[in-house]
Amino acid sequence: MTRSRILVTLALLAAVVTVTACGRKTGLDTPYEAAEQARKDAERAKQPLPPEPEKPVKDRKFILDPLL
């Protein structure tokens, strides 16, 4: 019973590690950058263009920024 439980736990652990390794290895896109990219992709594919994104407001400093 213990041996089978260990094997199941190891199999689940391997599955979790495999699934969590999926994804992009680059920086995150801001919503503005993602909207710009969506427009470019739609233009290349000759599809209707989504609305033009608004330029973001200049980022203001927040007191807790150094902690993040």
Side-chain angles (χ1 to χ4, degrees):
M1 183 79 167
T2 305
R3 177 177 274 169
S4 64
R5 208 175 254 182
I6 290 173
L7 288 175
V8 169
T9 303
L10 289 175
L12 287 175
L13 183 62
V16 168
V17 168
T18 301
V19 171
T20 59
C22 297
R24 288 177 30 178
K25 291 187 178 187
T26 63
L28 297 175
D29 293 337
T30 64
Y32 179 74
E33 291 170 344
E36 279 185 334
Q37 186 63 39
R39 267 183 83 79
K40 289 177 187 175
D41 292 343
E43 189 175 335
R44 272 189 239 129
K46 297 184 177 164
Q47 296 176 345
L49 294 178
E52 191 164 337
E54 296 179 17
K55 290 230 179 221
V57 180
K58 185 181 176 193
D59 193 25
R60 296 181 294 159
K61 296 291 182 189
F62 184 67
I63 194 165
L64 297 178
D65 280 345
L67 296 176
L68 299 175

